Amino acid sequence: MNMYVLSIITQNTLCVLQRVAGMFSRYRINIEHINISRHTEELSYWNVVIYSEDERIELLTRQLTKIIELVEVKIIDKVPLEA
């Protein structure tokens, strides 16, 4: 299990938060912390902190890129948790 910090950029559209959060729920990944700020009229920047395994994160990021309103998703930090 690792702690990940994801950076996500989305378009400001109706229900985009619901679609992104639904992806996390589908892969049974709990969002520990989320910060969303509007950058411009069209774009929002997200920082999301989660705890998960590498395989689930790979699947999640691949599926997130399929959301039309999502501009970019990348892992900006990965911290291994000690057992």
Side-chain angles (χ1 to χ4, degrees), residues 8-59:
I8 302 172
I9 301 172
T10 62
Q11 297 173 0
N12 285 331
T13 58
L14 190 61
C15 297
V16 71
L17 174 59
Q18 181 181 5
R19 282 193 286 276
V20 172
M23 285 288 180
F24 285 90
S25 176
R26 184 175 300 152
Y27 289 98
R28 299 187 185 279
I29 298 173
N30 189 41
I31 298 172
E32 296 296 325
H33 177 81
I34 187 169
N35 182 15
I36 304 171
S37 60
R38 188 170 80 177
H39 179 64
T40 65
E41 198 64 34
E42 298 86 26
L43 297 177
S44 290
Y45 288 155
W46 304 38
N47 286 320
V48 184
V49 177
I50 55 177
Y51 296 97
S52 188
E53 291 86 24
D54 294 339
E55 303 82 32
R56 280 192 167 166
I57 297 300
E58 280 184 39
L59 291 171

Side-chain angles (χ1 to χ4, degrees), residues 40-82:
T40 65
E41 198 64 34
E42 298 86 26
L43 297 177
S44 290
Y45 288 155
W46 304 38
N47 286 320
V48 184
V49 177
I50 55 177
Y51 296 97
S52 188
E53 291 86 24
D54 294 339
E55 303 82 32
R56 280 192 167 166
I57 297 300
E58 280 184 39
L59 291 171
L60 174 69
T61 54
R62 269 192 262 139
Q63 289 301 312
L64 283 173
T65 58
K66 294 180 182 179
I67 296 176
I68 294 171
E69 294 87 1
L70 196 125
V71 177
E72 181 182 30
V73 61
K74 61 182 170 181
I75 299 170
I76 58 173
D77 199 9
K78 174 184 172 183
V79 179
L81 298 178
E82 297 184 19

